[in-house]
Amino acid sequence: MGSDFIARANILKRIYVENTVTSTRLSRVIEVDYRKIVSAFNVLRDRYGVSVWVDVLQSRLGLGLVLLLLKGLRLRPPKDPTIWSEIAVKLPYPRSIAWTPTGELQLVFQSPLRTDVINVEDVKEYVAFAQKFDFVLRSKPLVELLDMFIELRFGELTERGLDIAMEHSYRIDKEYILSSGKFDGLDLAILNILEPHPEVTLRKLTQEVNNTLNRDYSMTSIEYHLDKHVENMILGYRVANYAQSYKLSETVSIIILSCRNPLEFCSRVISHPFIISCVGDSRTSIVATNICAPSGYQGSFILRFIEKSRSYSCGETLANIQYLAIPPYIMVFAVPRPWPKEYVREIDEAKVEYDPRSRSWSATIDVKEVVGVLTNYLSS
């Protein structure tokens, strides 16, 4: 792609695991003018279709993942997209909802690590699969592989690219990944603004926070929260999305394996551009890898990935769950946040996820209730 892309991507390479946010603060750490950092993020997105986000670690927020696959509900995607926001309020910790090609519903929740998923037995006829995970690592493709992707060298990425990715491992502190940090409602509001806007300056962030919360925080106060709390909630930056022009597969696969060292395995596979995320459970050694490749390469890459995983102390594939990654068959929600009091009062049975008084997550994942909400809003 040339020196321009490589120069921008090399800035990304330097900050993949750099726990510093806002272009203002980041410029001090890596000694690059903040305007070059802003330009790198914007050019990668606007010229090359590579969207970079702040990588928020939900395990540091005291949250894990629950993957739930529901069958036999006979539901349909909503014709009115506003229904998704109503569903999001009625369900606690929704991260995404997606349809599979065979009509099942795949739901991902960000749930408190110490909270059980309840009432599964009450609706067990609808539960095809349920699994909890305690950490997630997201896409941080190597510059060499990202360059292959931009140049549409998908065959090379399928064959040689996986070998290159698996030979590389990000140095990730296990204790940091698997432990919770301290945060409050302001920190959650900051994270919601920061996550999709890594290029934001400290001044602009302060303005956005004040507009969102109708407050008058100073830049000094916001920077204090960044330094003491927010930057302890992230693992640098990640590639969150690619432009539609790259024609990635409309069907995405979640490959579920059992690996001896889930964190070490995930620290390798996220180097590949086709790997969206890798989640694991440190107690059960279960790993799930989210894969999205161009449609002509999706099947062969999955087979190559499964074969390659056996070289890294992973056993047989436990499940391969496919889902449709196109609207209206998928809806993705944001980082959990405290709902404004006036908003909650206007909605019956709104699920308030975060209790600012105790600074803790307050809801549980009730599968019977999940089925009831989905049936109510999405019945055919």
mmCIF file with all atom_site columns, all heavy atoms in Angstrom, residues 132-135 174 178 259-263 279-287:
data_model
loop_
_atom_site.group_PDB
_atom_site.id
_atom_site.type_symbol
_atom_site.label_atom_id
_atom_site.label_alt_id
_atom_site.label_comp_id
_atom_site.label_asym_id
_atom_site.label_entity_id
_atom_site.label_seq_id
_atom_site.pdbx_PDB_ins_code
_atom_site.Cartn_x
_atom_site.Cartn_y
_atom_site.Cartn_z
_atom_site.occupancy
_atom_site.B_iso_or_equiv
_atom_site.pdbx_formal_charge
_atom_site.auth_seq_id
_atom_site.auth_comp_id
_atom_site.auth_asym_id
_atom_site.auth_atom_id
_atom_site.pdbx_PDB_model_num
ATOM 1   N N   . LYS A 1 132 ? -20.024 -19.100 29.866 1.00 0.00 ? 132 LYS A N   1
ATOM 2   C CA  . LYS A 1 132 ? -19.485 -17.874 30.447 1.00 0.00 ? 132 LYS A CA  1
ATOM 3   C C   . LYS A 1 132 ? -17.993 -17.785 30.168 1.00 0.00 ? 132 LYS A C   1
ATOM 4   O O   . LYS A 1 132 ? -17.293 -18.799 30.101 1.00 0.00 ? 132 LYS A O   1
ATOM 5   C CB  . LYS A 1 132 ? -19.725 -17.837 31.958 1.00 0.00 ? 132 LYS A CB  1
ATOM 6   C CG  . LYS A 1 132 ? -21.185 -17.688 32.357 1.00 0.00 ? 132 LYS A CG  1
ATOM 7   C CD  . LYS A 1 132 ? -21.324 -17.502 33.869 1.00 0.00 ? 132 LYS A CD  1
ATOM 8   C CE  . LYS A 1 132 ? -20.800 -16.156 34.329 1.00 0.00 ? 132 LYS A CE  1
ATOM 9   N NZ  . LYS A 1 132 ? -21.047 -15.906 35.773 1.00 0.00 ? 132 LYS A NZ  1
ATOM 10  N N   . PHE A 1 133 ? -17.499 -16.546 30.020 1.00 0.00 ? 133 PHE A N   1
ATOM 11  C CA  . PHE A 1 133 ? -16.081 -16.277 29.810 1.00 0.00 ? 133 PHE A CA  1
ATOM 12  C C   . PHE A 1 133 ? -15.665 -15.140 30.732 1.00 0.00 ? 133 PHE A C   1
ATOM 13  O O   . PHE A 1 133 ? -16.458 -14.243 31.019 1.00 0.00 ? 133 PHE A O   1
ATOM 14  C CB  . PHE A 1 133 ? -15.806 -15.883 28.356 1.00 0.00 ? 133 PHE A CB  1
ATOM 15  C CG  . PHE A 1 133 ? -16.242 -16.914 27.349 1.00 0.00 ? 133 PHE A CG  1
ATOM 16  C CD1 . PHE A 1 133 ? -17.481 -16.826 26.740 1.00 0.00 ? 133 PHE A CD1 1
ATOM 17  C CD2 . PHE A 1 133 ? -15.409 -17.969 27.021 1.00 0.00 ? 133 PHE A CD2 1
ATOM 18  C CE1 . PHE A 1 133 ? -17.884 -17.775 25.813 1.00 0.00 ? 133 PHE A CE1 1
ATOM 19  C CE2 . PHE A 1 133 ? -15.804 -18.929 26.100 1.00 0.00 ? 133 PHE A CE2 1
ATOM 20  C CZ  . PHE A 1 133 ? -17.045 -18.828 25.490 1.00 0.00 ? 133 PHE A CZ  1
ATOM 21  N N   . ASP A 1 134 ? -14.394 -15.168 31.174 1.00 0.00 ? 134 ASP A N   1
ATOM 22  C CA  . ASP A 1 134 ? -13.975 -14.120 32.111 1.00 0.00 ? 134 ASP A CA  1
ATOM 23  C C   . ASP A 1 134 ? -12.999 -13.101 31.525 1.00 0.00 ? 134 ASP A C   1
ATOM 24  O O   . ASP A 1 134 ? -12.556 -12.204 32.225 1.00 0.00 ? 134 ASP A O   1
ATOM 25  C CB  . ASP A 1 134 ? -13.423 -14.729 33.411 1.00 0.00 ? 134 ASP A CB  1
ATOM 26  C CG  . ASP A 1 134 ? -12.216 -15.632 33.207 1.00 0.00 ? 134 ASP A CG  1
ATOM 27  O OD1 . ASP A 1 134 ? -11.670 -15.667 32.086 1.00 0.00 ? 134 ASP A OD1 1
ATOM 28  O OD2 . ASP A 1 134 ? -11.809 -16.304 34.176 1.00 0.00 ? 134 ASP A OD2 1
ATOM 29  N N   . PHE A 1 135 ? -12.637 -13.231 30.242 1.00 0.00 ? 135 PHE A N   1
ATOM 30  C CA  . PHE A 1 135 ? -11.835 -12.174 29.619 1.00 0.00 ? 135 PHE A CA  1
ATOM 31  C C   . PHE A 1 135 ? -12.068 -12.163 28.114 1.00 0.00 ? 135 PHE A C   1
ATOM 32  O O   . PHE A 1 135 ? -12.517 -13.158 27.531 1.00 0.00 ? 135 PHE A O   1
ATOM 33  C CB  . PHE A 1 135 ? -10.336 -12.355 29.916 1.00 0.00 ? 135 PHE A CB  1
ATOM 34  C CG  . PHE A 1 135 ? -9.676  -13.475 29.155 1.00 0.00 ? 135 PHE A CG  1
ATOM 35  C CD1 . PHE A 1 135 ? -9.176  -13.288 27.870 1.00 0.00 ? 135 PHE A CD1 1
ATOM 36  C CD2 . PHE A 1 135 ? -9.548  -14.737 29.732 1.00 0.00 ? 135 PHE A CD2 1
ATOM 37  C CE1 . PHE A 1 135 ? -8.576  -14.323 27.171 1.00 0.00 ? 135 PHE A CE1 1
ATOM 38  C CE2 . PHE A 1 135 ? -8.926  -15.775 29.043 1.00 0.00 ? 135 PHE A CE2 1
ATOM 39  C CZ  . PHE A 1 135 ? -8.451  -15.566 27.746 1.00 0.00 ? 135 PHE A CZ  1
ATOM 40  N N   . LYS A 1 174 ? -1.412  -11.356 32.943 1.00 0.00 ? 174 LYS A N   1
ATOM 41  C CA  . LYS A 1 174 ? -2.584  -12.152 33.286 1.00 0.00 ? 174 LYS A CA  1
ATOM 42  C C   . LYS A 1 174 ? -3.317  -11.586 34.491 1.00 0.00 ? 174 LYS A C   1
ATOM 43  O O   . LYS A 1 174 ? -4.552  -11.521 34.513 1.00 0.00 ? 174 LYS A O   1
ATOM 44  C CB  . LYS A 1 174 ? -2.159  -13.599 33.545 1.00 0.00 ? 174 LYS A CB  1
ATOM 45  C CG  . LYS A 1 174 ? -3.322  -14.534 33.863 1.00 0.00 ? 174 LYS A CG  1
ATOM 46  C CD  . LYS A 1 174 ? -2.846  -15.965 34.028 1.00 0.00 ? 174 LYS A CD  1
ATOM 47  C CE  . LYS A 1 174 ? -4.024  -16.898 34.322 1.00 0.00 ? 174 LYS A CE  1
ATOM 48  N NZ  . LYS A 1 174 ? -3.569  -18.310 34.471 1.00 0.00 ? 174 LYS A NZ  1
ATOM 49  N N   . LEU A 1 178 ? -7.298  -10.270 34.475 1.00 0.00 ? 178 LEU A N   1
ATOM 50  C CA  . LEU A 1 178 ? -8.301  -11.032 35.219 1.00 0.00 ? 178 LEU A CA  1
ATOM 51  C C   . LEU A 1 178 ? -8.738  -10.383 36.525 1.00 0.00 ? 178 LEU A C   1
ATOM 52  O O   . LEU A 1 178 ? -9.455  -10.996 37.310 1.00 0.00 ? 178 LEU A O   1
ATOM 53  C CB  . LEU A 1 178 ? -7.770  -12.439 35.504 1.00 0.00 ? 178 LEU A CB  1
ATOM 54  C CG  . LEU A 1 178 ? -7.505  -13.311 34.266 1.00 0.00 ? 178 LEU A CG  1
ATOM 55  C CD1 . LEU A 1 178 ? -6.919  -14.652 34.676 1.00 0.00 ? 178 LEU A CD1 1
ATOM 56  C CD2 . LEU A 1 178 ? -8.769  -13.508 33.452 1.00 0.00 ? 178 LEU A CD2 1
ATOM 57  N N   . CYS A 1 259 ? -8.467  -25.004 25.282 1.00 0.00 ? 259 CYS A N   1
ATOM 58  C CA  . CYS A 1 259 ? -7.023  -24.801 25.154 1.00 0.00 ? 259 CYS A CA  1
ATOM 59  C C   . CYS A 1 259 ? -6.368  -24.791 26.533 1.00 0.00 ? 259 CYS A C   1
ATOM 60  O O   . CYS A 1 259 ? -6.953  -24.303 27.498 1.00 0.00 ? 259 CYS A O   1
ATOM 61  C CB  . CYS A 1 259 ? -6.723  -23.481 24.448 1.00 0.00 ? 259 CYS A CB  1
ATOM 62  S SG  . CYS A 1 259 ? -7.367  -23.381 22.762 1.00 0.00 ? 259 CYS A SG  1
ATOM 63  N N   . ARG A 1 260 ? -5.157  -25.310 26.583 1.00 0.00 ? 260 ARG A N   1
ATOM 64  C CA  . ARG A 1 260 ? -4.465  -25.402 27.865 1.00 0.00 ? 260 ARG A CA  1
ATOM 65  C C   . ARG A 1 260 ? -4.240  -24.041 28.500 1.00 0.00 ? 260 ARG A C   1
ATOM 66  O O   . ARG A 1 260 ? -4.365  -23.859 29.706 1.00 0.00 ? 260 ARG A O   1
ATOM 67  C CB  . ARG A 1 260 ? -3.127  -26.121 27.684 1.00 0.00 ? 260 ARG A CB  1
ATOM 68  C CG  . ARG A 1 260 ? -2.397  -26.386 28.994 1.00 0.00 ? 260 ARG A CG  1
ATOM 69  C CD  . ARG A 1 260 ? -1.131  -27.162 28.755 1.00 0.00 ? 260 ARG A CD  1
ATOM 70  N NE  . ARG A 1 260 ? -0.170  -26.380 27.973 1.00 0.00 ? 260 ARG A NE  1
ATOM 71  C CZ  . ARG A 1 260 ? 0.993   -26.840 27.534 1.00 0.00 ? 260 ARG A CZ  1
ATOM 72  N NH1 . ARG A 1 260 ? 1.329   -28.105 27.751 1.00 0.00 ? 260 ARG A NH1 1
ATOM 73  N NH2 . ARG A 1 260 ? 1.808   -26.074 26.847 1.00 0.00 ? 260 ARG A NH2 1
ATOM 74  N N   . ASN A 1 261 ? -3.889  -23.033 27.663 1.00 0.00 ? 261 ASN A N   1
ATOM 75  C CA  . ASN A 1 261 ? -3.619  -21.683 28.162 1.00 0.00 ? 261 ASN A CA  1
ATOM 76  C C   . ASN A 1 261 ? -4.417  -20.682 27.333 1.00 0.00 ? 261 ASN A C   1
ATOM 77  O O   . ASN A 1 261 ? -3.917  -20.147 26.339 1.00 0.00 ? 261 ASN A O   1
ATOM 78  C CB  . ASN A 1 261 ? -2.128  -21.381 28.080 1.00 0.00 ? 261 ASN A CB  1
ATOM 79  C CG  . ASN A 1 261 ? -1.747  -20.094 28.794 1.00 0.00 ? 261 ASN A CG  1
ATOM 80  O OD1 . ASN A 1 261 ? -2.562  -19.180 28.927 1.00 0.00 ? 261 ASN A OD1 1
ATOM 81  N ND2 . ASN A 1 261 ? -0.515  -20.000 29.252 1.00 0.00 ? 261 ASN A ND2 1
ATOM 82  N N   . PRO A 1 262 ? -5.679  -20.407 27.713 1.00 0.00 ? 262 PRO A N   1
ATOM 83  C CA  . PRO A 1 262 ? -6.545  -19.547 26.902 1.00 0.00 ? 262 PRO A CA  1
ATOM 84  C C   . PRO A 1 262 ? -5.966  -18.158 26.639 1.00 0.00 ? 262 PRO A C   1
ATOM 85  O O   . PRO A 1 262 ? -6.049  -17.657 25.518 1.00 0.00 ? 262 PRO A O   1
ATOM 86  C CB  . PRO A 1 262 ? -7.829  -19.458 27.737 1.00 0.00 ? 262 PRO A CB  1
ATOM 87  C CG  . PRO A 1 262 ? -7.831  -20.693 28.567 1.00 0.00 ? 262 PRO A CG  1
ATOM 88  C CD  . PRO A 1 262 ? -6.394  -20.959 28.885 1.00 0.00 ? 262 PRO A CD  1
ATOM 89  N N   . LEU A 1 263 ? -5.390  -17.531 27.666 1.00 0.00 ? 263 LEU A N   1
ATOM 90  C CA  . LEU A 1 263 ? -4.887  -16.164 27.501 1.00 0.00 ? 263 LEU A CA  1
ATOM 91  C C   . LEU A 1 263 ? -3.711  -16.130 26.529 1.00 0.00 ? 263 LEU A C   1
ATOM 92  O O   . LEU A 1 263 ? -3.623  -15.243 25.669 1.00 0.00 ? 263 LEU A O   1
ATOM 93  C CB  . LEU A 1 263 ? -4.484  -15.577 28.855 1.00 0.00 ? 263 LEU A CB  1
ATOM 94  C CG  . LEU A 1 263 ? -4.105  -14.098 28.862 1.00 0.00 ? 263 LEU A CG  1
ATOM 95  C CD1 . LEU A 1 263 ? -5.268  -13.224 28.403 1.00 0.00 ? 263 LEU A CD1 1
ATOM 96  C CD2 . LEU A 1 263 ? -3.650  -13.669 30.253 1.00 0.00 ? 263 LEU A CD2 1
ATOM 97  N N   . VAL A 1 279 ? -12.092 -14.791 23.249 1.00 0.00 ? 279 VAL A N   1
ATOM 98  C CA  . VAL A 1 279 ? -12.528 -14.773 24.641 1.00 0.00 ? 279 VAL A CA  1
ATOM 99  C C   . VAL A 1 279 ? -12.182 -16.100 25.290 1.00 0.00 ? 279 VAL A C   1
ATOM 100 O O   . VAL A 1 279 ? -12.044 -17.130 24.617 1.00 0.00 ? 279 VAL A O   1
ATOM 101 C CB  . VAL A 1 279 ? -14.046 -14.500 24.763 1.00 0.00 ? 279 VAL A CB  1
ATOM 102 C CG1 . VAL A 1 279 ? -14.413 -13.186 24.113 1.00 0.00 ? 279 VAL A CG1 1
ATOM 103 C CG2 . VAL A 1 279 ? -14.858 -15.635 24.146 1.00 0.00 ? 279 VAL A CG2 1
ATOM 104 N N   . GLY A 1 280 ? -12.005 -16.070 26.597 1.00 0.00 ? 280 GLY A N   1
ATOM 105 C CA  . GLY A 1 280 ? -11.654 -17.300 27.279 1.00 0.00 ? 280 GLY A CA  1
ATOM 106 C C   . GLY A 1 280 ? -12.163 -17.346 28.700 1.00 0.00 ? 280 GLY A C   1
ATOM 107 O O   . GLY A 1 280 ? -12.552 -16.319 29.269 1.00 0.00 ? 280 GLY A O   1
ATOM 108 N N   . ASP A 1 281 ? -12.169 -18.534 29.253 1.00 0.00 ? 281 ASP A N   1
ATOM 109 C CA  . ASP A 1 281 ? -12.496 -18.737 30.660 1.00 0.00 ? 281 ASP A CA  1
ATOM 110 C C   . ASP A 1 281 ? -11.276 -19.381 31.306 1.00 0.00 ? 281 ASP A C   1
ATOM 111 O O   . ASP A 1 281 ? -10.927 -20.524 30.988 1.00 0.00 ? 281 ASP A O   1
ATOM 112 C CB  . ASP A 1 281 ? -13.727 -19.634 30.817 1.00 0.00 ? 281 ASP A CB  1
ATOM 113 C CG  . ASP A 1 281 ? -14.234 -19.654 32.248 1.00 0.00 ? 281 ASP A CG  1
ATOM 114 O OD1 . ASP A 1 281 ? -13.416 -19.892 33.163 1.00 0.00 ? 281 ASP A OD1 1
ATOM 115 O OD2 . ASP A 1 281 ? -15.442 -19.434 32.460 1.00 0.00 ? 281 ASP A OD2 1
ATOM 116 N N   . SER A 1 282 ? -10.625 -18.647 32.193 1.00 0.00 ? 282 SER A N   1
ATOM 117 C CA  . SER A 1 282 ? -9.374  -19.107 32.788 1.00 0.00 ? 282 SER A CA  1
ATOM 118 C C   . SER A 1 282 ? -9.566  -20.318 33.692 1.00 0.00 ? 282 SER A C   1
ATOM 119 O O   . SER A 1 282 ? -8.614  -21.034 33.994 1.00 0.00 ? 282 SER A O   1
ATOM 120 C CB  . SER A 1 282 ? -8.725  -17.967 33.580 1.00 0.00 ? 282 SER A CB  1
ATOM 121 O OG  . SER A 1 282 ? -9.598  -17.498 34.592 1.00 0.00 ? 282 SER A OG  1
ATOM 122 N N   . ARG A 1 283 ? -10.795 -20.576 34.104 1.00 0.00 ? 283 ARG A N   1
ATOM 123 C CA  . ARG A 1 283 ? -11.052 -21.700 35.005 1.00 0.00 ? 283 ARG A CA  1
ATOM 124 C C   . ARG A 1 283 ? -11.332 -22.992 34.244 1.00 0.00 ? 283 ARG A C   1
ATOM 125 O O   . ARG A 1 283 ? -10.894 -24.058 34.635 1.00 0.00 ? 283 ARG A O   1
ATOM 126 C CB  . ARG A 1 283 ? -12.232 -21.372 35.922 1.00 0.00 ? 283 ARG A CB  1
ATOM 127 C CG  . ARG A 1 283 ? -11.986 -20.186 36.847 1.00 0.00 ? 283 ARG A CG  1
ATOM 128 C CD  . ARG A 1 283 ? -13.287 -19.564 37.297 1.00 0.00 ? 283 ARG A CD  1
ATOM 129 N NE  . ARG A 1 283 ? -14.035 -19.021 36.168 1.00 0.00 ? 283 ARG A NE  1
ATOM 130 C CZ  . ARG A 1 283 ? -15.205 -18.400 36.262 1.00 0.00 ? 283 ARG A CZ  1
ATOM 131 N NH1 . ARG A 1 283 ? -15.766 -18.266 37.450 1.00 0.00 ? 283 ARG A NH1 1
ATOM 132 N NH2 . ARG A 1 283 ? -15.816 -17.933 35.197 1.00 0.00 ? 283 ARG A NH2 1
ATOM 133 N N   . THR A 1 284 ? -12.072 -22.894 33.143 1.00 0.00 ? 284 THR A N   1
ATOM 134 C CA  . THR A 1 284 ? -12.457 -24.096 32.394 1.00 0.00 ? 284 THR A CA  1
ATOM 135 C C   . THR A 1 284 ? -11.588 -24.338 31.171 1.00 0.00 ? 284 THR A C   1
ATOM 136 O O   . THR A 1 284 ? -11.694 -25.388 30.543 1.00 0.00 ? 284 THR A O   1
ATOM 137 C CB  . THR A 1 284 ? -13.916 -23.985 31.926 1.00 0.00 ? 284 THR A CB  1
ATOM 138 O OG1 . THR A 1 284 ? -14.029 -22.879 31.000 1.00 0.00 ? 284 THR A OG1 1
ATOM 139 C CG2 . THR A 1 284 ? -14.847 -23.742 33.098 1.00 0.00 ? 284 THR A CG2 1
ATOM 140 N N   . SER A 1 285 ? -10.748 -23.345 30.804 1.00 0.00 ? 285 SER A N   1
ATOM 141 C CA  . SER A 1 285 ? -9.881  -23.426 29.619 1.00 0.00 ? 285 SER A CA  1
ATOM 142 C C   . SER A 1 285 ? -10.664 -23.415 28.311 1.00 0.00 ? 285 SER A C   1
ATOM 143 O O   . SER A 1 285 ? -10.140 -23.811 27.264 1.00 0.00 ? 285 SER A O   1
ATOM 144 C CB  . SER A 1 285 ? -8.977  -24.667 29.671 1.00 0.00 ? 285 SER A CB  1
ATOM 145 O OG  . SER A 1 285 ? -8.126  -24.609 30.804 1.00 0.00 ? 285 SER A OG  1
ATOM 146 N N   . ILE A 1 286 ? -11.907 -22.968 28.349 1.00 0.00 ? 286 ILE A N   1
ATOM 147 C CA  . ILE A 1 286 ? -12.698 -22.840 27.126 1.00 0.00 ? 286 ILE A CA  1
ATOM 148 C C   . ILE A 1 286 ? -12.345 -21.524 26.441 1.00 0.00 ? 286 ILE A C   1
ATOM 149 O O   . ILE A 1 286 ? -12.244 -20.474 27.078 1.00 0.00 ? 286 ILE A O   1
ATOM 150 C CB  . ILE A 1 286 ? -14.210 -22.878 27.436 1.00 0.00 ? 286 ILE A CB  1
ATOM 151 C CG1 . ILE A 1 286 ? -14.572 -24.202 28.126 1.00 0.00 ? 286 ILE A CG1 1
ATOM 152 C CG2 . ILE A 1 286 ? -15.019 -22.701 26.159 1.00 0.00 ? 286 ILE A CG2 1
ATOM 153 C CD1 . ILE A 1 286 ? -14.331 -25.423 27.294 1.00 0.00 ? 286 ILE A CD1 1
ATOM 154 N N   . VAL A 1 287 ? -12.162 -21.583 25.124 1.00 0.00 ? 287 VAL A N   1
ATOM 155 C CA  . VAL A 1 287 ? -11.809 -20.416 24.321 1.00 0.00 ? 287 VAL A CA  1
ATOM 156 C C   . VAL A 1 287 ? -12.807 -20.292 23.178 1.00 0.00 ? 287 VAL A C   1
ATOM 157 O O   . VAL A 1 287 ? -13.212 -21.304 22.590 1.00 0.00 ? 287 VAL A O   1
ATOM 158 C CB  . VAL A 1 287 ? -10.382 -20.546 23.737 1.00 0.00 ? 287 VAL A CB  1
ATOM 159 C CG1 . VAL A 1 287 ? -10.084 -19.414 22.772 1.00 0.00 ? 287 VAL A CG1 1
ATOM 160 C CG2 . VAL A 1 287 ? -9.351  -20.573 24.842 1.00 0.00 ? 287 VAL A CG2 1
#
